[in-house]
Amino acid sequence: MKKILIIGLMLVILTGCNNKKELNTNIKNNNENSIINEEIIEDNILTVHSEADTFLDFSDNSVIFNSVKYVALVKIEEVAGSDNYSYVTNQYVLPYTYGKMKILKVFKGDLEINKVVDFYRLGATMKFDKYYEGLTDSEKDKINKLNEGRKVKYKYVDSYTGKKVQIEKDKFYLVYLTDEKSYKNEENSYAIIGFEYGLRKVKTDNDNLVTTESFKDLDVLNNETGEYEKLSSVVNKNSY
């Protein structure tokens, strides 16, 4: 049975994609069920979109800042793979993406600057067969009903909660973190939480961090509006 790792009510929307859809990903093939490092154009993709009703308003900058253990500016060094299994509880869970990130600046918490650590984040693009293995009978029925009783074998699943935000190798992000205890529970491992509010791309020049007199002068993306805004308006000013 799938164990949902989100507190609150979750509404899952399933969408079968029969037209060609392009999925850009740099997930490597450490996990045979992950997408290989290539651009994929595929006719049969199942989109699984979840909406979570949480007790906290993560859209409020002060709320999300105060609710997490760490806030940091990072560079994504590697997007290593995806999975839907917890090796802590030995149960299937919602798909997640994992990889490595380098800590560049810490705004909250005790993290080592320039250290490369593991990250995990809810949401992933993965092979359909692996995803289907982790579903309950009722969830499998929903997918089968989408195909009017016909057994259609999707090749890939694109699963995300809230607004979809792509995490990309060699890009810089403002991230909101907690110690990772749900998937593997290893040292130097952190979960990026807060949905679209917990992963905000930093505006860069030619994939290099823009040089500024202060980190507060950096621009970070508001995933709701699609506009960039000053980091100083997002992160607690006492953190500089």
Side-chain angles (χ1 to χ4, degrees):
M1 179 177 291
K2 179 181 294 180
K3 180 179 179 182
I4 297 177
L5 301 176
I6 298 174
I7 298 176
L9 175 66
M10 177 166 288
L11 172 66
V12 179
I13 302 170
L14 302 177
T15 305
C17 180
N18 293 319
N19 296 319
K20 283 194 175 181
K21 177 179 179 181
E22 186 173 307
L23 291 181
N24 293 314
T25 178
N26 54 11
I27 294 176
K28 300 175 74 174
N29 61 345
N30 300 22
N31 179 335
E32 63 179 8
N33 297 295
S34 300
I35 306 304
I36 307 302
N37 185 17
E38 63 183 38
E39 182 177 81
I40 297 173
I41 298 177
E42 188 53 60
D43 284 338
N44 295 317
I45 299 167
L46 179 67
T47 298
V48 181
H49 175 209
S50 305
E51 290 291 348
D53 183 14
T54 66
F55 297 118
L56 298 175
D57 180 10
F58 289 137
S59 66
D60 186 319
N61 292 327
S62 62
V63 169
I64 189 171
F65 186 90
N66 291 327
S67 67
V68 298
K69 188 173 182 179
Y70 314 98
V71 180
L73 181 70
V74 304
K75 179 182 179 182
I76 301 300
E77 297 288 330
E78 179 184 17
V79 182
S82 60
D83 206 342
N84 63 338
Y85 194 79
S86 167
Y87 300 90
V88 177
T89 63
N90 293 317
Q91 291 179 302
Y92 284 102
V93 296
L94 293 172
Y96 59 89
T97 299
Y98 59 90
K100 293 187 179 297
M101 61 184 180
K102 185 176 184 179
I103 307 296
L104 301 178
K105 168 69 177 177
V106 179
F107 300 107
K108 181 181 180 181
D110 184 18
L111 298 173
E112 184 178 338
I113 301 296
N114 292 325
K115 186 171 185 177
V116 176
V117 298
D118 294 327
F119 76 81
Y120 291 79
R121 184 174 186 264
L122 185 65
T125 300
M126 64 186 307
K127 294 287 185 68
F128 175 80
D129 287 351
K130 180 66 164 61
Y131 173 81
Y132 195 80
E133 285 178 11
L135 298 181
T136 63
D137 289 340
S138 62
E139 289 169 329
K140 291 176 182 177
D141 287 342
K142 288 180 181 179
I143 292 177
N144 295 336
K145 286 178 181 178
L146 281 176
N147 302 289
E148 300 177 348
R150 294 169 295 154
K151 185 72 173 179
V152 175
K153 188 158 181 128
Y154 292 98
K155 290 189 177 180
Y156 303 104
V157 169
D158 188 18
S159 173
Y160 58 97
T161 301
K163 185 178 179 64
K164 183 176 180 180
V165 180
Q166 191 83 4
I167 188 165
E168 302 175 79
K169 180 182 177 181
D170 295 329
K171 300 297 183 181
F172 300 88
Y173 295 89
L174 174 68
V175 293
Y176 294 76
L177 308 168
T178 187
D179 294 309
E180 195 289 297
K181 297 182 182 296
S182 300
Y183 303 124
K184 291 190 177 180
N185 193 22
E186 297 176 335
E187 291 187 5
N188 300 316
S189 178
Y190 303 91
I192 301 173
I193 67 170
F195 311 113
E196 63 264 34
Y197 308 104
L199 178 72
R200 302 185 59 168
K201 184 180 289 187
V202 178
K203 192 173 185 179
T204 58
D205 182 19
N206 296 323
D207 293 332
N208 292 310
L209 198 62
V210 176
T211 302
T212 62
E213 294 182 0
S214 172
F215 280 102
K216 67 181 180 180
D217 295 325
L218 292 173
D219 294 320
V220 295
L221 183 64
N222 183 319
N223 290 309
E224 282 192 303
T225 66
E227 301 291 332
Y228 282 92
E229 53 195 21
K230 290 298 179 185
L231 180 64
S232 57
S233 70
V234 176
V235 174
N236 190 323
K237 64 181 180 180
N238 297 323
S239 304
Y240 299 102

